[in-house]
Amino acid sequence: MAELTIVVPDLMALADLAIRDPLRWPVMNRVLARGRSLPSQGQPGEGFARALGLKGGVGGLARYCFLHDTGHLPEGGCARLDPVEVGVGPRGLFLRSASMPDLQREEADALILELDHLKTEFGWHLEASLPSRWYVLTRESLRAGLGPPILAEGENLMERLAGNDLAKEWAKLLNEIQILLHQHPVNLKREQEGRAQANCLWPWGGGTDHSLDGARKVTFWSDGDPVLGGIAEVLKQSVGKVESLAGISDSWFGSSLVSLHADGPREQRLDALEQAWLAPLATRGLKPWTFILSDLDGAGYKLGLLDWWARWRKASMPGDQQ
């Protein structure tokens, strides 16, 4: 194929992990060493926009998720407000669990009911398309300055919020929500059962619509990413279900965009990226003319055909000089 782009939301965290153990993840380290670093311009969804031949980002990511889940775009403001688990560590609050895949519908409904005052106080409406995927809908355009929660898993929350002026606006409200949810019967029961508690919410993906006019023709593949699903609906394209490089049909006349959205521990997801995608690509005789591995906002690595054999380079992070 002419170009293959793989988008992984927390690629930079996976890259940092891979560098620590090059024997376990040799091909990932090969990509880091031989790829040319791609900086991010800070636009939401820039990783998708680059593959589509568009400048900047693609707009509010939550809007595409909502379209994928409901079949229509939200009329007003929209952001993801996903349930997460916050814990207390030596340095304060940290994000312990970035997703709640086992949260049940009745549990989600009970937690949302506890936060019904947000509708009166802020004019917000909370809606859960899936028990673990929540939205806040408003009349006005709503911005959410945090990236997907998976980017901050294990991090100190105050340090995360301190580095983002927009996120500071959410800090007080998130603290109030955390207090309300911490002692909720749903979470007390989950704690007794040894399951993660949905004791806080994570705002992300807010923003307005962004025109996708002029997007080039790209074949979409995913393991279930709702953002790419929504983008595909806007462009009236389908998304192929795929779990490995072997599942992609090949054509030297086209380009493919793959979005990997799988949940799970970082080491497990890095293993999957290495074994199901990078290792088969490295041993493949007919490689794409251009291979791009990036995060949601466009930071990543670009390899041409000759870069796979550029042995003199050392692993770097986007923004480093090579």
Side-chain angles (χ1 to χ4, degrees), residues 115-126:
L115 302 174
D116 192 57
H117 69 284
L118 295 177
K119 183 174 183 179
T120 303
E121 189 173 349
F122 298 101
W124 289 5
H125 171 68
L126 295 185

CSV table of all heavy atoms in Angstrom, one decimal, residues 115-126:
chain,number,residue,atom,x,y,z
A,115,LEU,N,-25.9,12.6,40.3
A,115,LEU,CA,-25.3,13.8,39.8
A,115,LEU,C,-26.4,14.7,39.0
A,115,LEU,O,-26.1,15.5,38.2
A,115,LEU,CB,-24.2,13.5,38.8
A,115,LEU,CG,-23.0,12.7,39.4
A,115,LEU,CD1,-22.0,12.4,38.3
A,115,LEU,CD2,-22.3,13.5,40.5
A,116,ASP,N,-27.7,14.4,39.3
A,116,ASP,CA,-28.8,15.1,38.6
A,116,ASP,C,-28.7,16.6,38.8
A,116,ASP,O,-29.2,17.4,38.0
A,116,ASP,CB,-30.1,14.5,39.1
A,116,ASP,CG,-31.2,15.0,38.2
A,116,ASP,OD1,-31.2,14.7,36.9
A,116,ASP,OD2,-32.2,15.6,38.7
A,117,HIS,N,-28.1,17.0,39.9
A,117,HIS,CA,-28.1,18.5,40.2
A,117,HIS,C,-27.3,19.3,39.2
A,117,HIS,O,-27.4,20.5,39.1
A,117,HIS,CB,-27.5,18.7,41.6
A,117,HIS,CG,-26.0,18.4,41.7
A,117,HIS,ND1,-25.5,17.1,41.8
A,117,HIS,CD2,-24.9,19.2,41.7
A,117,HIS,CE1,-24.2,17.2,41.8
A,117,HIS,NE2,-23.8,18.4,41.8
A,118,LEU,N,-26.4,18.6,38.5
A,118,LEU,CA,-25.6,19.3,37.5
A,118,LEU,C,-26.5,19.9,36.4
A,118,LEU,O,-26.2,20.9,35.8
A,118,LEU,CB,-24.6,18.3,36.8
A,118,LEU,CG,-23.5,17.7,37.8
A,118,LEU,CD1,-22.6,16.7,37.0
A,118,LEU,CD2,-22.7,18.9,38.3
A,119,LYS,N,-27.6,19.2,36.1
A,119,LYS,CA,-28.6,19.7,35.1
A,119,LYS,C,-29.1,21.1,35.5
A,119,LYS,O,-29.2,22.0,34.7
A,119,LYS,CB,-29.7,18.7,34.9
A,119,LYS,CG,-30.6,19.1,33.8
A,119,LYS,CD,-31.6,18.0,33.5
A,119,LYS,CE,-32.6,18.5,32.3
A,119,LYS,NZ,-33.5,17.4,32.0
A,120,THR,N,-29.5,21.2,36.8
A,120,THR,CA,-30.1,22.4,37.3
A,120,THR,C,-29.0,23.5,37.5
A,120,THR,O,-29.2,24.7,37.1
A,120,THR,CB,-30.7,22.2,38.7
A,120,THR,OG1,-31.7,21.2,38.6
A,120,THR,CG2,-31.3,23.4,39.3
A,121,GLU,N,-27.8,23.1,38.0
A,121,GLU,CA,-26.8,24.1,38.3
A,121,GLU,C,-26.1,24.6,37.0
A,121,GLU,O,-25.8,25.8,36.9
A,121,GLU,CB,-25.8,23.4,39.2
A,121,GLU,CG,-24.7,24.4,39.8
A,121,GLU,CD,-23.9,23.8,40.9
A,121,GLU,OE1,-24.2,22.7,41.3
A,121,GLU,OE2,-22.9,24.4,41.3
A,122,PHE,N,-25.8,23.7,36.1
A,122,PHE,CA,-25.0,24.1,34.9
A,122,PHE,C,-25.8,24.0,33.6
A,122,PHE,O,-25.3,24.4,32.5
A,122,PHE,CB,-23.8,23.2,34.8
A,122,PHE,CG,-22.8,23.4,36.0
A,122,PHE,CD1,-22.8,22.5,37.0
A,122,PHE,CD2,-22.0,24.5,36.1
A,122,PHE,CE1,-21.9,22.6,38.1
A,122,PHE,CE2,-21.1,24.6,37.1
A,122,PHE,CZ,-21.1,23.7,38.1
A,123,GLY,N,-27.0,23.4,33.6
A,123,GLY,CA,-27.7,23.2,32.4
A,123,GLY,C,-27.1,22.0,31.6
A,123,GLY,O,-27.3,21.9,30.4
A,124,TRP,N,-26.5,21.0,32.3
A,124,TRP,CA,-25.9,19.9,31.7
A,124,TRP,C,-26.9,18.7,31.7
A,124,TRP,O,-27.7,18.5,32.6
A,124,TRP,CB,-24.7,19.4,32.5
A,124,TRP,CG,-23.5,20.3,32.4
A,124,TRP,CD1,-23.4,21.5,31.7
A,124,TRP,CD2,-22.2,20.1,32.9
A,124,TRP,NE1,-22.2,22.1,31.8
A,124,TRP,CE2,-21.4,21.2,32.6
A,124,TRP,CE3,-21.6,19.1,33.7
A,124,TRP,CZ2,-20.1,21.3,32.9
A,124,TRP,CZ3,-20.3,19.2,34.1
A,124,TRP,CH2,-19.5,20.3,33.7
A,125,HIS,N,-26.7,17.9,30.7
A,125,HIS,CA,-27.5,16.6,30.7
A,125,HIS,C,-26.4,15.5,30.5
A,125,HIS,O,-25.6,15.5,29.6
A,125,HIS,CB,-28.4,16.6,29.5
A,125,HIS,CG,-29.1,15.2,29.3
A,125,HIS,ND1,-30.0,14.7,30.2
A,125,HIS,CD2,-28.9,14.3,28.3
A,125,HIS,CE1,-30.3,13.5,29.7
A,125,HIS,NE2,-29.7,13.2,28.6
A,126,LEU,N,-26.4,14.5,31.5
A,126,LEU,CA,-25.5,13.4,31.4
A,126,LEU,C,-26.2,12.2,30.7
A,126,LEU,O,-27.4,11.9,31.0
A,126,LEU,CB,-25.1,13.0,32.8
A,126,LEU,CG,-24.2,14.0,33.6
A,126,LEU,CD1,-23.8,13.3,34.9
A,126,LEU,CD2,-23.0,14.4,32.8
